C-alpha cells in the first residue's frame, strides 16, 4: 500500500507530517474548531492532537503505520493554517479515508480548502487509490456543500442517531470515486 508523502505541495500550500514540537500549536488550532462539537456531540479533548501523533486515530483493527496527521501551511509565510488526518486502506485496501480536515476559520472562504482537496485528489489518484471517503455531520451544512461541490457525491450511508433533535447526531459518509 502506498502512503501519502511526508511532504507535498499545491500552489499556495505545503502539507507535511506533524512534528512533535508542533503539537501544542496544532492543538491550539484544533481548539478553534471546537464549534464542531455542536455537530458531532463529542467532548473537546485537549490531548487529541498528541494522541493522534502518538497512537493515531485508527479505525477498528487499524494499524498506526497506515495513519498520517499532517499540517497545512501557507507557502507565503509558512504559517500553519490547517490540519489533515488520513487513514490509508479503509474500509478497503483501495480506499483512503480523509478522517479530518480543518482550515483556520479566520481564512476560510479564500479557496484554500478547495486547493487542498484538488491536490489531495491528484495525489491519491497517482498513488493508485480508487476512492476517497469522508464523514461529515448532517448538521454541518457548510461542510456538506463544500464536499458535494468537490465531487463527493456518492453516499454510502448515514451513521448515528436515528432521529433528529438538538441533542442527537449523525454523519453522512460521502465518497469521491477516482
Amino acid at each position: 500500500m502506498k502512503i501519502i508523502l511526508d511532504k507535498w505541495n499545491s500552489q499556495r500550500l505545503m502539507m507535511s507530517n506533524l512534528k512533535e514540537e508542533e503539537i501544542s500549536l496544532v492543538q491550539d488550532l484544533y481548539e478553534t474548531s471546537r464549534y464542531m462539537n455542536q455537530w458531532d456531540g463529542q467532548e473537546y479533548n485537549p490531548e487529541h492532537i498528541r494522541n493522534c501523533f502518538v497512537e493515531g486515530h485508527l479505525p477498528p483493527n487499524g494499524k498506526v503505520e497506515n495513519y498520517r496527521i499532517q499540517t497545512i501551511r501557507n507557502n507565503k509565510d509558512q504559517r500553519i493554517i490547517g490540519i489533515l488526518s488520513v487513514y490509508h486502506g479503509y474500509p478497503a485496501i483501495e480506499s483512503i479515508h480523509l478522517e479530518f480536515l480543518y482550515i483556520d476559520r479566520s481564512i476560510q472562504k479564500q479557496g484554500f480548502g478547495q486547493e487542498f482537496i484538488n491536490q489531495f485528489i491528484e495525489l491519491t489518484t497517482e498513488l493508485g487509490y480508487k476512492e476517497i471517503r469522508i464523514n461529515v455531520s448532517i448538521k454541518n451544512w457548510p461542510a456538506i456543500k463544500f464536499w458535494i461541490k468537490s465531487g463527493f457525491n456518492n453516499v454510502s450511508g448515514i451513521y448515528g442517531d436515528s432521529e433528529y433533535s438538538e441533542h442527537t447526531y449523525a454523519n453522512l459518509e460521502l465518497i469521491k470515486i477516482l
Side-chain angles (χ1 to χ4, degrees), residues 45-79:
N45 178 357
E47 293 295 316
H48 178 73
I49 299 300
R50 178 169 301 286
N51 293 346
C52 288
F53 181 79
V54 174
E55 304 164 7
H57 195 249
L58 310 179
N61 302 313
K63 299 175 184 174
V64 74
E65 59 266 20
N66 292 354
Y67 175 79
R68 292 289 180 275
I69 183 168
Q70 295 188 327
T71 59
I72 302 170
R73 292 181 186 273
N74 184 335
N75 278 340
K76 185 176 176 181
D77 60 10
Q78 298 301 304
R79 183 172 68 93

PDB file of all heavy atoms in Angstrom, residues 45-79:
ATOM      1  N   ASN A  45     -11.375  17.355  23.409  1.00  0.00           N
ATOM      2  CA  ASN A  45     -10.274  16.610  24.011  1.00  0.00           C
ATOM      3  C   ASN A  45      -8.994  17.442  23.890  1.00  0.00           C
ATOM      4  O   ASN A  45      -8.448  17.582  22.790  1.00  0.00           O
ATOM      5  CB  ASN A  45     -10.090  15.266  23.307  1.00  0.00           C
ATOM      6  CG  ASN A  45      -8.927  14.475  23.850  1.00  0.00           C
ATOM      7  OD1 ASN A  45      -8.186  14.925  24.719  1.00  0.00           O
ATOM      8  ND2 ASN A  45      -8.744  13.283  23.318  1.00  0.00           N
ATOM      9  N   PRO A  46      -8.497  17.981  25.003  1.00  0.00           N
ATOM     10  CA  PRO A  46      -7.293  18.814  24.948  1.00  0.00           C
ATOM     11  C   PRO A  46      -6.023  18.037  24.587  1.00  0.00           C
ATOM     12  O   PRO A  46      -4.973  18.644  24.380  1.00  0.00           O
ATOM     13  CB  PRO A  46      -7.201  19.411  26.358  1.00  0.00           C
ATOM     14  CG  PRO A  46      -7.963  18.478  27.222  1.00  0.00           C
ATOM     15  CD  PRO A  46      -9.038  17.878  26.358  1.00  0.00           C
ATOM     16  N   GLU A  47      -6.108  16.723  24.490  1.00  0.00           N
ATOM     17  CA  GLU A  47      -4.957  15.887  24.116  1.00  0.00           C
ATOM     18  C   GLU A  47      -5.157  15.212  22.753  1.00  0.00           C
ATOM     19  O   GLU A  47      -4.381  14.322  22.387  1.00  0.00           O
ATOM     20  CB  GLU A  47      -4.718  14.818  25.191  1.00  0.00           C
ATOM     21  CG  GLU A  47      -4.260  15.389  26.525  1.00  0.00           C
ATOM     22  CD  GLU A  47      -2.890  16.047  26.426  1.00  0.00           C
ATOM     23  OE1 GLU A  47      -1.976  15.475  25.794  1.00  0.00           O
ATOM     24  OE2 GLU A  47      -2.746  17.154  26.981  1.00  0.00           O
ATOM     25  N   HIS A  48      -6.168  15.630  22.011  1.00  0.00           N
ATOM     26  CA  HIS A  48      -6.498  14.950  20.751  1.00  0.00           C
ATOM     27  C   HIS A  48      -5.308  14.909  19.783  1.00  0.00           C
ATOM     28  O   HIS A  48      -4.973  13.843  19.253  1.00  0.00           O
ATOM     29  CB  HIS A  48      -7.701  15.606  20.067  1.00  0.00           C
ATOM     30  CG  HIS A  48      -8.044  14.980  18.772  1.00  0.00           C
ATOM     31  ND1 HIS A  48      -8.649  13.743  18.690  1.00  0.00           N
ATOM     32  CD2 HIS A  48      -7.846  15.389  17.489  1.00  0.00           C
ATOM     33  CE1 HIS A  48      -8.817  13.426  17.420  1.00  0.00           C
ATOM     34  NE2 HIS A  48      -8.340  14.409  16.667  1.00  0.00           N
ATOM     35  N   ILE A  49      -4.666  16.038  19.548  1.00  0.00           N
ATOM     36  CA  ILE A  49      -3.571  16.078  18.573  1.00  0.00           C
ATOM     37  C   ILE A  49      -2.388  15.229  19.055  1.00  0.00           C
ATOM     38  O   ILE A  49      -1.812  14.463  18.283  1.00  0.00           O
ATOM     39  CB  ILE A  49      -3.142  17.527  18.278  1.00  0.00           C
ATOM     40  CG1 ILE A  49      -4.319  18.322  17.686  1.00  0.00           C
ATOM     41  CG2 ILE A  49      -1.922  17.567  17.362  1.00  0.00           C
ATOM     42  CD1 ILE A  49      -4.879  17.780  16.385  1.00  0.00           C
ATOM     43  N   ARG A  50      -2.037  15.318  20.325  1.00  0.00           N
ATOM     44  CA  ARG A  50      -0.960  14.475  20.868  1.00  0.00           C
ATOM     45  C   ARG A  50      -1.322  12.992  20.714  1.00  0.00           C
ATOM     46  O   ARG A  50      -0.481  12.179  20.304  1.00  0.00           O
ATOM     47  CB  ARG A  50      -0.688  14.791  22.334  1.00  0.00           C
ATOM     48  CG  ARG A  50       0.409  13.899  22.938  1.00  0.00           C
ATOM     49  CD  ARG A  50       0.898  14.350  24.287  1.00  0.00           C
ATOM     50  NE  ARG A  50       1.444  15.692  24.288  1.00  0.00           N
ATOM     51  CZ  ARG A  50       2.628  16.044  23.782  1.00  0.00           C
ATOM     52  NH1 ARG A  50       3.397  15.136  23.212  1.00  0.00           N
ATOM     53  NH2 ARG A  50       3.053  17.279  23.850  1.00  0.00           N
ATOM     54  N   ASN A  51      -2.560  12.635  21.025  1.00  0.00           N
ATOM     55  CA  ASN A  51      -2.999  11.244  20.882  1.00  0.00           C
ATOM     56  C   ASN A  51      -2.886  10.782  19.429  1.00  0.00           C
ATOM     57  O   ASN A  51      -2.438   9.668  19.162  1.00  0.00           O
ATOM     58  CB  ASN A  51      -4.432  11.073  21.374  1.00  0.00           C
ATOM     59  CG  ASN A  51      -4.570  11.285  22.869  1.00  0.00           C
ATOM     60  OD1 ASN A  51      -3.588  11.315  23.614  1.00  0.00           O
ATOM     61  ND2 ASN A  51      -5.795  11.472  23.327  1.00  0.00           N
ATOM     62  N   CYS A  52      -3.289  11.639  18.490  1.00  0.00           N
ATOM     63  CA  CYS A  52      -3.172  11.293  17.074  1.00  0.00           C
ATOM     64  C   CYS A  52      -1.708  11.110  16.681  1.00  0.00           C
ATOM     65  O   CYS A  52      -1.368  10.194  15.929  1.00  0.00           O
ATOM     66  CB  CYS A  52      -3.811  12.371  16.200  1.00  0.00           C
ATOM     67  SG  CYS A  52      -5.611  12.408  16.273  1.00  0.00           S
ATOM     68  N   PHE A  53      -0.841  11.968  17.189  1.00  0.00           N
ATOM     69  CA  PHE A  53       0.589  11.889  16.884  1.00  0.00           C
ATOM     70  C   PHE A  53       1.201  10.596  17.417  1.00  0.00           C
ATOM     71  O   PHE A  53       1.979   9.933  16.729  1.00  0.00           O
ATOM     72  CB  PHE A  53       1.313  13.109  17.476  1.00  0.00           C
ATOM     73  CG  PHE A  53       2.784  13.136  17.198  1.00  0.00           C
ATOM     74  CD1 PHE A  53       3.260  13.555  15.969  1.00  0.00           C
ATOM     75  CD2 PHE A  53       3.698  12.747  18.170  1.00  0.00           C
ATOM     76  CE1 PHE A  53       4.632  13.589  15.701  1.00  0.00           C
ATOM     77  CE2 PHE A  53       5.058  12.773  17.919  1.00  0.00           C
ATOM     78  CZ  PHE A  53       5.523  13.193  16.676  1.00  0.00           C
ATOM     79  N   VAL A  54       0.832  10.221  18.633  1.00  0.00           N
ATOM     80  CA  VAL A  54       1.438   9.056  19.296  1.00  0.00           C
ATOM     81  C   VAL A  54       0.773   7.750  18.875  1.00  0.00           C
ATOM     82  O   VAL A  54       1.453   6.781  18.516  1.00  0.00           O
ATOM     83  CB  VAL A  54       1.377   9.226  20.833  1.00  0.00           C
ATOM     84  CG1 VAL A  54       1.856   7.975  21.545  1.00  0.00           C
ATOM     85  CG2 VAL A  54       2.181  10.433  21.271  1.00  0.00           C
ATOM     86  N   GLU A  55      -0.551   7.706  18.899  1.00  0.00           N
ATOM     87  CA  GLU A  55      -1.284   6.458  18.700  1.00  0.00           C
ATOM     88  C   GLU A  55      -2.011   6.370  17.363  1.00  0.00           C
ATOM     89  O   GLU A  55      -2.433   5.292  16.950  1.00  0.00           O
ATOM     90  CB  GLU A  55      -2.342   6.301  19.798  1.00  0.00           C
ATOM     91  CG  GLU A  55      -1.793   6.346  21.197  1.00  0.00           C
ATOM     92  CD  GLU A  55      -2.881   6.572  22.240  1.00  0.00           C
ATOM     93  OE1 GLU A  55      -4.074   6.555  21.899  1.00  0.00           O
ATOM     94  OE2 GLU A  55      -2.506   6.771  23.404  1.00  0.00           O
ATOM     95  N   GLY A  56      -2.225   7.516  16.714  1.00  0.00           N
ATOM     96  CA  GLY A  56      -3.051   7.564  15.516  1.00  0.00           C
ATOM     97  C   GLY A  56      -4.517   7.616  15.889  1.00  0.00           C
ATOM     98  O   GLY A  56      -4.893   7.407  17.047  1.00  0.00           O
ATOM     99  N   HIS A  57      -5.332   7.945  14.923  1.00  0.00           N
ATOM    100  CA  HIS A  57      -6.790   7.915  15.095  1.00  0.00           C
ATOM    101  C   HIS A  57      -7.275   6.849  14.135  1.00  0.00           C
ATOM    102  O   HIS A  57      -7.520   7.110  12.961  1.00  0.00           O
ATOM    103  CB  HIS A  57      -7.394   9.293  14.785  1.00  0.00           C
ATOM    104  CG  HIS A  57      -8.777   9.445  15.263  1.00  0.00           C
ATOM    105  ND1 HIS A  57      -9.839   9.537  14.400  1.00  0.00           N
ATOM    106  CD2 HIS A  57      -9.288   9.509  16.510  1.00  0.00           C
ATOM    107  CE1 HIS A  57     -10.954   9.665  15.098  1.00  0.00           C
ATOM    108  NE2 HIS A  57     -10.635   9.646  16.386  1.00  0.00           N
ATOM    109  N   LEU A  58      -7.360   5.626  14.654  1.00  0.00           N
ATOM    110  CA  LEU A  58      -7.468   4.442  13.811  1.00  0.00           C
ATOM    111  C   LEU A  58      -8.886   3.881  13.749  1.00  0.00           C
ATOM    112  O   LEU A  58      -9.622   3.921  14.738  1.00  0.00           O
ATOM    113  CB  LEU A  58      -6.529   3.352  14.332  1.00  0.00           C
ATOM    114  CG  LEU A  58      -5.081   3.764  14.589  1.00  0.00           C
ATOM    115  CD1 LEU A  58      -4.290   2.581  15.134  1.00  0.00           C
ATOM    116  CD2 LEU A  58      -4.444   4.335  13.348  1.00  0.00           C
ATOM    117  N   PRO A  59      -9.237   3.290  12.611  1.00  0.00           N
ATOM    118  CA  PRO A  59     -10.499   2.554  12.519  1.00  0.00           C
ATOM    119  C   PRO A  59     -10.366   1.217  13.245  1.00  0.00           C
ATOM    120  O   PRO A  59      -9.260   0.848  13.667  1.00  0.00           O
ATOM    121  CB  PRO A  59     -10.666   2.357  11.009  1.00  0.00           C
ATOM    122  CG  PRO A  59      -9.266   2.313  10.491  1.00  0.00           C
ATOM    123  CD  PRO A  59      -8.491   3.262  11.365  1.00  0.00           C
ATOM    124  N   PRO A  60     -11.458   0.474  13.382  1.00  0.00           N
ATOM    125  CA  PRO A  60     -11.358  -0.849  14.011  1.00  0.00           C
ATOM    126  C   PRO A  60     -10.282  -1.699  13.319  1.00  0.00           C
ATOM    127  O   PRO A  60     -10.205  -1.749  12.098  1.00  0.00           O
ATOM    128  CB  PRO A  60     -12.747  -1.456  13.791  1.00  0.00           C
ATOM    129  CG  PRO A  60     -13.651  -0.260  13.630  1.00  0.00           C
ATOM    130  CD  PRO A  60     -12.821   0.792  12.957  1.00  0.00           C
ATOM    131  N   ASN A  61      -9.435  -2.310  14.115  1.00  0.00           N
ATOM    132  CA  ASN A  61      -8.328  -3.148  13.640  1.00  0.00           C
ATOM    133  C   ASN A  61      -7.309  -2.387  12.788  1.00  0.00           C
ATOM    134  O   ASN A  61      -6.571  -2.992  12.015  1.00  0.00           O
ATOM    135  CB  ASN A  61      -8.851  -4.370  12.866  1.00  0.00           C
ATOM    136  CG  ASN A  61      -9.767  -5.220  13.708  1.00  0.00           C
ATOM    137  OD1 ASN A  61      -9.454  -5.531  14.860  1.00  0.00           O
ATOM    138  ND2 ASN A  61     -10.919  -5.578  13.162  1.00  0.00           N
ATOM    139  N   GLY A  62      -7.281  -1.070  12.923  1.00  0.00           N
ATOM    140  CA  GLY A  62      -6.363  -0.250  12.145  1.00  0.00           C
ATOM    141  C   GLY A  62      -4.923  -0.385  12.627  1.00  0.00           C
ATOM    142  O   GLY A  62      -4.655  -0.787  13.755  1.00  0.00           O
ATOM    143  N   LYS A  63      -4.000  -0.032  11.731  1.00  0.00           N
ATOM    144  CA  LYS A  63      -2.567  -0.086  12.024  1.00  0.00           C
ATOM    145  C   LYS A  63      -2.014   1.331  11.977  1.00  0.00           C
ATOM    146  O   LYS A  63      -2.282   2.075  11.027  1.00  0.00           O
ATOM    147  CB  LYS A  63      -1.843  -0.944  10.991  1.00  0.00           C
ATOM    148  CG  LYS A  63      -2.307  -2.384  10.950  1.00  0.00           C
ATOM    149  CD  LYS A  63      -1.612  -3.117   9.817  1.00  0.00           C
ATOM    150  CE  LYS A  63      -2.157  -4.528   9.715  1.00  0.00           C
ATOM    151  NZ  LYS A  63      -1.607  -5.219   8.543  1.00  0.00           N
ATOM    152  N   VAL A  64      -1.219   1.695  12.964  1.00  0.00           N
ATOM    153  CA  VAL A  64      -0.687   3.049  13.057  1.00  0.00           C
ATOM    154  C   VAL A  64       0.156   3.422  11.833  1.00  0.00           C
ATOM    155  O   VAL A  64       0.202   4.583  11.440  1.00  0.00           O
ATOM    156  CB  VAL A  64       0.061   3.265  14.389  1.00  0.00           C
ATOM    157  CG1 VAL A  64       1.412   2.573  14.401  1.00  0.00           C
ATOM    158  CG2 VAL A  64       0.187   4.743  14.711  1.00  0.00           C
ATOM    159  N   GLU A  65       0.790   2.452  11.197  1.00  0.00           N
ATOM    160  CA  GLU A  65       1.613   2.759  10.028  1.00  0.00           C
ATOM    161  C   GLU A  65       0.786   3.199   8.810  1.00  0.00           C
ATOM    162  O   GLU A  65       1.322   3.747   7.857  1.00  0.00           O
ATOM    163  CB  GLU A  65       2.547   1.589   9.658  1.00  0.00           C
ATOM    164  CG  GLU A  65       1.840   0.307   9.345  1.00  0.00           C
ATOM    165  CD  GLU A  65       1.708  -0.645  10.532  1.00  0.00           C
ATOM    166  OE1 GLU A  65       1.820  -0.201  11.698  1.00  0.00           O
ATOM    167  OE2 GLU A  65       1.472  -1.838  10.289  1.00  0.00           O
ATOM    168  N   ASN A  66      -0.519   2.983   8.850  1.00  0.00           N
ATOM    169  CA  ASN A  66      -1.399   3.408   7.758  1.00  0.00           C
ATOM    170  C   ASN A  66      -2.026   4.782   8.017  1.00  0.00           C
ATOM    171  O   ASN A  66      -2.850   5.244   7.233  1.00  0.00           O
ATOM    172  CB  ASN A  66      -2.519   2.395   7.540  1.00  0.00           C
ATOM    173  CG  ASN A  66      -2.005   1.080   7.010  1.00  0.00           C
ATOM    174  OD1 ASN A  66      -0.829   0.940   6.691  1.00  0.00           O
ATOM    175  ND2 ASN A  66      -2.879   0.107   6.923  1.00  0.00           N
ATOM    176  N   TYR A  67      -1.651   5.401   9.111  1.00  0.00           N
ATOM    177  CA  TYR A  67      -2.247   6.663   9.538  1.00  0.00           C
ATOM    178  C   TYR A  67      -1.246   7.809   9.384  1.00  0.00           C
ATOM    179  O   TYR A  67      -0.050   7.627   9.606  1.00  0.00           O
ATOM    180  CB  TYR A  67      -2.676   6.555  11.007  1.00  0.00           C
ATOM    181  CG  TYR A  67      -3.183   7.849  11.575  1.00  0.00           C
ATOM    182  CD1 TYR A  67      -4.469   8.283  11.307  1.00  0.00           C
ATOM    183  CD2 TYR A  67      -2.369   8.650  12.362  1.00  0.00           C
ATOM    184  CE1 TYR A  67      -4.941   9.488  11.813  1.00  0.00           C
ATOM    185  CE2 TYR A  67      -2.820   9.845  12.872  1.00  0.00           C
ATOM    186  CZ  TYR A  67      -4.107  10.259  12.592  1.00  0.00           C
ATOM    187  OH  TYR A  67      -4.556  11.456  13.091  1.00  0.00           O
ATOM    188  N   ARG A  68      -1.739   8.979   9.015  1.00  0.00           N
ATOM    189  CA  ARG A  68      -0.926  10.191   8.960  1.00  0.00           C
ATOM    190  C   ARG A  68      -1.728  11.363   9.507  1.00  0.00           C
ATOM    191  O   ARG A  68      -2.916  11.496   9.215  1.00  0.00           O
ATOM    192  CB  ARG A  68      -0.529  10.553   7.516  1.00  0.00           C
ATOM    193  CG  ARG A  68       0.425   9.612   6.849  1.00  0.00           C
ATOM    194  CD  ARG A  68       1.830   9.708   7.442  1.00  0.00           C
ATOM    195  NE  ARG A  68       2.742   8.811   6.793  1.00  0.00           N
ATOM    196  CZ  ARG A  68       2.917   7.533   7.104  1.00  0.00           C
ATOM    197  NH1 ARG A  68       2.227   6.984   8.055  1.00  0.00           N
ATOM    198  NH2 ARG A  68       3.785   6.796   6.452  1.00  0.00           N
ATOM    199  N   ILE A  69      -1.056  12.210  10.269  1.00  0.00           N
ATOM    200  CA  ILE A  69      -1.594  13.514  10.633  1.00  0.00           C
ATOM    201  C   ILE A  69      -0.584  14.521  10.117  1.00  0.00           C
ATOM    202  O   ILE A  69       0.626  14.387  10.353  1.00  0.00           O
ATOM    203  CB  ILE A  69      -1.878  13.669  12.145  1.00  0.00           C
ATOM    204  CG1 ILE A  69      -2.513  15.038  12.410  1.00  0.00           C
ATOM    205  CG2 ILE A  69      -0.662  13.413  12.984  1.00  0.00           C
ATOM    206  CD1 ILE A  69      -3.108  15.185  13.813  1.00  0.00           C
ATOM    207  N   GLN A  70      -1.076  15.499   9.362  1.00  0.00           N
ATOM    208  CA  GLN A  70      -0.193  16.464   8.734  1.00  0.00           C
ATOM    209  C   GLN A  70      -0.692  17.890   8.976  1.00  0.00           C
ATOM    210  O   GLN A  70      -1.884  18.118   9.202  1.00  0.00           O
ATOM    211  CB  GLN A  70      -0.093  16.213   7.226  1.00  0.00           C
ATOM    212  CG  GLN A  70       0.550  14.878   6.899  1.00  0.00           C
ATOM    213  CD  GLN A  70       0.819  14.696   5.420  1.00  0.00           C
ATOM    214  OE1 GLN A  70       0.084  15.167   4.563  1.00  0.00           O
ATOM    215  NE2 GLN A  70       1.907  13.982   5.114  1.00  0.00           N
ATOM    216  N   THR A  71       0.241  18.810   8.909  1.00  0.00           N
ATOM    217  CA  THR A  71      -0.091  20.227   8.981  1.00  0.00           C
ATOM    218  C   THR A  71      -0.259  20.755   7.559  1.00  0.00           C
ATOM    219  O   THR A  71       0.290  20.198   6.600  1.00  0.00           O
ATOM    220  CB  THR A  71       1.015  21.035   9.682  1.00  0.00           C
ATOM    221  OG1 THR A  71       2.235  20.870   8.967  1.00  0.00           O
ATOM    222  CG2 THR A  71       1.187  20.595  11.129  1.00  0.00           C
ATOM    223  N   ILE A  72      -1.013  21.826   7.460  1.00  0.00           N
ATOM    224  CA  ILE A  72      -1.176  22.545   6.196  1.00  0.00           C
ATOM    225  C   ILE A  72      -0.628  23.945   6.441  1.00  0.00           C
ATOM    226  O   ILE A  72      -1.086  24.643   7.351  1.00  0.00           O
ATOM    227  CB  ILE A  72      -2.655  22.614   5.776  1.00  0.00           C
ATOM    228  CG1 ILE A  72      -3.250  21.202   5.647  1.00  0.00           C
ATOM    229  CG2 ILE A  72      -2.811  23.405   4.476  1.00  0.00           C
ATOM    230  CD1 ILE A  72      -4.763  21.178   5.468  1.00  0.00           C
ATOM    231  N   ARG A  73       0.361  24.329   5.655  1.00  0.00           N
ATOM    232  CA  ARG A  73       0.991  25.642   5.809  1.00  0.00           C
ATOM    233  C   ARG A  73       0.720  26.507   4.581  1.00  0.00           C
ATOM    234  O   ARG A  73       0.664  25.995   3.468  1.00  0.00           O
ATOM    235  CB  ARG A  73       2.507  25.515   5.963  1.00  0.00           C
ATOM    236  CG  ARG A  73       2.942  24.879   7.244  1.00  0.00           C
ATOM    237  CD  ARG A  73       4.477  24.819   7.306  1.00  0.00           C
ATOM    238  NE  ARG A  73       4.914  24.094   8.462  1.00  0.00           N
ATOM    239  CZ  ARG A  73       5.100  24.618   9.671  1.00  0.00           C
ATOM    240  NH1 ARG A  73       4.894  25.901   9.863  1.00  0.00           N
ATOM    241  NH2 ARG A  73       5.479  23.867  10.677  1.00  0.00           N
ATOM    242  N   ASN A  74       0.626  27.787   4.830  1.00  0.00           N
ATOM    243  CA  ASN A  74       0.549  28.765   3.764  1.00  0.00           C
ATOM    244  C   ASN A  74       1.976  28.967   3.245  1.00  0.00           C
ATOM    245  O   ASN A  74       2.863  29.319   4.016  1.00  0.00           O
ATOM    246  CB  ASN A  74      -0.024  30.075   4.325  1.00  0.00           C
ATOM    247  CG  ASN A  74      -0.222  31.118   3.268  1.00  0.00           C
ATOM    248  OD1 ASN A  74       0.428  31.121   2.243  1.00  0.00           O
ATOM    249  ND2 ASN A  74      -1.148  32.025   3.533  1.00  0.00           N
ATOM    250  N   ASN A  75       2.220  28.729   1.966  1.00  0.00           N
ATOM    251  CA  ASN A  75       3.564  28.890   1.395  1.00  0.00           C
ATOM    252  C   ASN A  75       4.089  30.317   1.554  1.00  0.00           C
ATOM    253  O   ASN A  75       5.293  30.514   1.660  1.00  0.00           O
ATOM    254  CB  ASN A  75       3.575  28.526  -0.091  1.00  0.00           C
ATOM    255  CG  ASN A  75       3.673  27.029  -0.318  1.00  0.00           C
ATOM    256  OD1 ASN A  75       4.094  26.281   0.550  1.00  0.00           O
ATOM    257  ND2 ASN A  75       3.264  26.605  -1.490  1.00  0.00           N
ATOM    258  N   LYS A  76       3.193  31.274   1.571  1.00  0.00           N
ATOM    259  CA  LYS A  76       3.581  32.691   1.616  1.00  0.00           C
ATOM    260  C   LYS A  76       4.366  33.030   2.879  1.00  0.00           C
ATOM    261  O   LYS A  76       5.407  33.661   2.822  1.00  0.00           O
ATOM    262  CB  LYS A  76       2.322  33.556   1.518  1.00  0.00           C
ATOM    263  CG  LYS A  76       2.567  35.013   1.435  1.00  0.00           C
ATOM    264  CD  LYS A  76       1.241  35.743   1.245  1.00  0.00           C
ATOM    265  CE  LYS A  76       1.440  37.240   1.260  1.00  0.00           C
ATOM    266  NZ  LYS A  76       0.171  37.941   1.112  1.00  0.00           N
ATOM    267  N   ASP A  77       3.855  32.585   4.050  1.00  0.00           N
ATOM    268  CA  ASP A  77       4.523  32.933   5.316  1.00  0.00           C
ATOM    269  C   ASP A  77       4.871  31.720   6.182  1.00  0.00           C
ATOM    270  O   ASP A  77       5.332  31.872   7.296  1.00  0.00           O
ATOM    271  CB  ASP A  77       3.677  33.926   6.113  1.00  0.00           C
ATOM    272  CG  ASP A  77       2.297  33.384   6.468  1.00  0.00           C
ATOM    273  OD1 ASP A  77       2.039  32.173   6.275  1.00  0.00           O
ATOM    274  OD2 ASP A  77       1.468  34.180   6.936  1.00  0.00           O
ATOM    275  N   GLN A  78       4.639  30.507   5.678  1.00  0.00           N
ATOM    276  CA  GLN A  78       4.925  29.246   6.363  1.00  0.00           C
ATOM    277  C   GLN A  78       4.097  29.032   7.631  1.00  0.00           C
ATOM    278  O   GLN A  78       4.392  28.154   8.436  1.00  0.00           O
ATOM    279  CB  GLN A  78       6.425  29.124   6.701  1.00  0.00           C
ATOM    280  CG  GLN A  78       7.314  29.118   5.476  1.00  0.00           C
ATOM    281  CD  GLN A  78       6.988  27.977   4.535  1.00  0.00           C
ATOM    282  OE1 GLN A  78       7.005  26.824   4.932  1.00  0.00           O
ATOM    283  NE2 GLN A  78       6.665  28.277   3.289  1.00  0.00           N
ATOM    284  N   ARG A  79       3.062  29.836   7.819  1.00  0.00           N
ATOM    285  CA  ARG A  79       2.195  29.706   8.991  1.00  0.00           C
ATOM    286  C   ARG A  79       1.289  28.475   8.841  1.00  0.00           C
ATOM    287  O   ARG A  79       0.757  28.217   7.769  1.00  0.00           O
ATOM    288  CB  ARG A  79       1.332  30.967   9.133  1.00  0.00           C
ATOM    289  CG  ARG A  79       0.452  30.982  10.353  1.00  0.00           C
ATOM    290  CD  ARG A  79      -0.224  32.334  10.518  1.00  0.00           C
ATOM    291  NE  ARG A  79      -1.205  32.602   9.484  1.00  0.00           N
ATOM    292  CZ  ARG A  79      -2.506  32.322   9.596  1.00  0.00           C
ATOM    293  NH1 ARG A  79      -2.976  31.773  10.687  1.00  0.00           N
ATOM    294  NH2 ARG A  79      -3.326  32.604   8.603  1.00  0.00           N
TER     295      ARG A  79
END
